[in-house]
Amino acid sequence: GAVVSQHPSWVICKSGTSVKIECRSLDFQATTMFWYRQFPKQSLMLMATSNEGSKATYEQGVEKDKFLINHASLTLSTLTVTSAHPEDSSFYICSASMKATNTEAFFGQGTRLTVV
Amino acid sequence: DAKTTQPNSMESNEEEPVHLPCNHSTISGTDYIHWYRQLPSQGPEYVIHGLTSNVNNRMASLAIAEDRKSSTLILHRATLRDAAVYYCILRLYSSASKIIFGSGTRLSIRP
């Protein structure tokens, strides 16, 4: 079945540095991908919609200059957490559906970000 | 986005059926009912989806009320690996349609 892969699975970075997370659709094209953040014991919160070839659409309250999204191809979207702070520590998850149909959404395995 | 309501938690015994309810009284005619589950420290996993008719797949069954204002996910024979948070979600028929997660139901399985 279709697979969405995230890299890295986990990352530890120093406060003030930037971290890039990749989300790839491995065997299908995705014009739209979604980025979520999840804090411990909480549900997934949608951060933004990543659109291939155009600007991402951010949910209310999500800083677009803080969370940079690039969707340069039909199989790759990246989320860059800029000037990370400890409060950005979270589980980041991406998802995508196949381009032509909406059967199900496929989710990456998630990236655990720890900012120290 | 249409909302769904699920119990916070449920418990079941191993090898017994589990019925996970979901209310979605404000569902629109174009909303599909999706179910996903999330195991600890993993991304969500698709379980099943439907529009009006009941659906079966290798993982589960989805029973949809005639008025579509509620649905039930049925795990026919729960195993310990089914312990997860189950999310009932309404989604339009479009790959660009957002998936908005509610709080879900945390299912525990007793050995």
Side-chain angles (χ1 to χ4, degrees):
Chain A
V3 175
V4 171
S5 178
Q6 276 184 247
H7 179 81
S9 298
W10 59 270
V11 57
I12 301 172
C13 71
K14 290 185 177 179
S15 230
T17 62
S18 295
V19 174
K20 181 186 285 189
I21 302 169
E22 293 186 347
C23 178
R24 293 182 185 274
S25 55
L26 295 186
D27 53 3
F28 67 98
Q29 294 181 330
T31 51
T32 304
M33 291 185 176
F34 301 96
W35 286 96
Y36 296 84
R37 180 167 57 179
Q38 185 176 34
F39 293 107
K41 303 293 185 185
Q42 293 186 23
S43 185
L44 286 78
M45 185 195 80
L46 179 65
M47 299 175 67
T49 302
S50 174
N51 303 299
E52 187 266 334
S54 65
K55 290 183 179 180
T57 306
Y58 291 82
E59 295 299 302
Q60 192 172 8
V62 177
E63 302 173 57
K64 60 181 181 182
D65 294 329
K66 172 79 174 172
F67 301 99
L68 300 179
I69 291 172
N70 184 279
H71 195 150
S73 77
L74 285 171
T75 59
L76 174 64
S77 175
T78 60
L79 168 68
T80 301
V81 183
T82 63
S83 187
H85 291 285
E87 57 265 30
D88 298 323
S89 298
S90 188
F91 193 50
Y92 292 86
I93 304 166
C94 69
S95 80
S97 296
M98 291 188 177
K99 183 181 175 186
T101 65
N102 171 32
T103 50
E104 65 257 43
F106 300 96
F107 290 82
Q109 71 272 38
T111 298
R112 172 101 29 218
L113 169 64
T114 303
V115 185
V116 297
Chain B
D1 302 304
K3 282 196 165 185
T4 62
T5 305
Q6 299 177 253
N8 288 333
S9 62
M10 288 183 66
E11 272 192 291
S12 182
N13 295 320
E14 196 176 10
E15 298 188 1
E16 289 186 359
V18 181
H19 291 238
L20 296 164
C22 180
N23 287 319
H24 28 80
S25 58
T26 59
I27 190 171
S28 73
T30 50
D31 284 327
Y32 280 71
I33 302 160
H34 284 239
W35 284 81
Y36 292 82
R37 71 180 185 182
Q38 185 179 25
L39 279 65
S41 299
Q42 294 187 28
E45 172 189 31
Y46 167 81
V47 178
I48 201 166
H49 81 286
L51 182 63
T52 56
S53 303
N54 295 343
V55 184
N56 299 296
N57 66 21
R58 63 175 180 82
M59 289 182 72
S61 295
L62 176 60
I64 301 173
E66 198 169 332
D67 63 5
R68 300 210 325 128
K69 293 187 176 182
S70 66
S71 61
T72 302
L73 178 71
I74 303 165
L75 306 179
H76 294 287
R77 201 158 168 262
T79 69
L80 296 177
R81 291 187 299 175
D82 292 322
V85 179
Y86 286 78
Y87 296 98
C88 168
I89 292 161
L90 302 182
R91 190 184 190 200
L92 294 173
Y93 190 84
S94 166
S95 61
S97 173
K98 299 178 189 180
I99 294 180
I100 305 297
F101 286 83
S103 54
T105 296
R106 184 174 297 277
L107 176 65
S108 302
I109 305 296
R110 290 184 289 256

